């Protein structure tokens, strides 16, 4: 399992610990964590149908890539459990400036963006701690179970 993430992203903060727990409980799994700032050329070569280097800005992180023993991509998951989507959409509707502030270089805008990011990170932690972490675990485990039944 290779996880590609943005370190300060609220989903990363919540999803990666869940993935680590799953990997600890599954002896056949290992996990490598890469930041979107890392050299991703090796991962790009593994992802045959994706131009990771050029499309990275469009990819919603974190993304989990699951490979078989021969480094063939067998499945992908991310960036968050489905149950979070509605909560995130509501939060973004209440804070429409979040995405526009992220793309500016103005110091005041970046300060406002940082404050919103901190608020979103806090709220997402509350969502995950109120049971979403279990939903995340269920989604990833179901994905892995489906892969295991495909192997059979």
């Amino acid at each position: 399992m290779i996880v590609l993430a943005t370190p300060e992203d609220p989903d990363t903060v919540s999803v990666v610990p869940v993935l680590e727990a799953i990997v600890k409980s599954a002896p056949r799994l290992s996990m490598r964590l890469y930041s979107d700032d890392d050299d991703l050329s090796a991962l790009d070569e593994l992802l045959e149908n994706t131009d990771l280097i050029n499309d990275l800005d469009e990819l919603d992180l974190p993304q989990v890539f699951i490979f078989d023993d021969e480094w063939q991509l067998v499945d992908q998951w991310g960036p968050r459990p489905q149950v979070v989507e509605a909560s995130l959409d509501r939060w973004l509707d209440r804070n429409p400036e979040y995405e526009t502030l992220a793309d500016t270089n103005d110091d005041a805008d970046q300060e406002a963006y940082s404050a919103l990011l901190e608020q979103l990170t806090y709220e997402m932690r509350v969502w995950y701690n109120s049971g979403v972490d279990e939903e995340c675990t269920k989604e990833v485990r179901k994905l892995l179970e489906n892969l295991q039944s495909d192997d059979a």
Side-chain angles (χ1 to χ4, degrees), residues 1-62:
M1 177 184 303
I2 293 180
V3 180
L4 177 58
T6 302
E8 68 275 2
D9 185 272
D11 283 305
T12 297
V13 171
S14 299
V15 168
V16 169
V18 171
L19 297 172
E20 289 172 333
I22 290 170
V23 169
K24 282 182 183 177
S25 70
R28 291 187 57 207
L29 276 179
S30 63
M31 183 173 97
R32 296 180 187 178
L33 181 60
Y34 289 93
S35 169
D36 58 343
D37 292 332
D38 291 338
D39 176 6
L40 301 174
S41 55
L43 179 57
D44 188 43
E45 287 182 33
L46 291 172
L47 300 173
E48 296 175 0
N49 296 325
T50 303
D51 185 357
L52 183 62
I53 304 303
N54 291 321
D55 297 338
L56 186 60
D57 289 340
E58 297 170 19
L59 197 58
D60 204 2
L61 300 179

Side-chain angles (χ1 to χ4, degrees), residues 36-104:
D36 58 343
D37 292 332
D38 291 338
D39 176 6
L40 301 174
S41 55
L43 179 57
D44 188 43
E45 287 182 33
L46 291 172
L47 300 173
E48 296 175 0
N49 296 325
T50 303
D51 185 357
L52 183 62
I53 304 303
N54 291 321
D55 297 338
L56 186 60
D57 289 340
E58 297 170 19
L59 197 58
D60 204 2
L61 300 179
Q63 286 293 313
V64 178
F65 303 100
I66 301 173
F67 295 90
D68 64 14
D69 293 338
E70 296 168 1
W71 289 100
Q72 296 297 311
L73 182 67
V74 292
D75 218 328
Q76 183 175 341
W77 181 89
R80 67 192 59 87
Q82 289 299 310
V83 72
V84 173
E85 291 295 335
S87 298
L88 181 59
D89 287 343
R90 284 191 301 274
W91 189 90
L92 289 170
D93 287 344
R94 289 191 316 269
N95 299 281
E97 68 279 15
Y98 175 78
E99 292 178 337
T100 55
L101 290 172
D103 295 331
T104 70

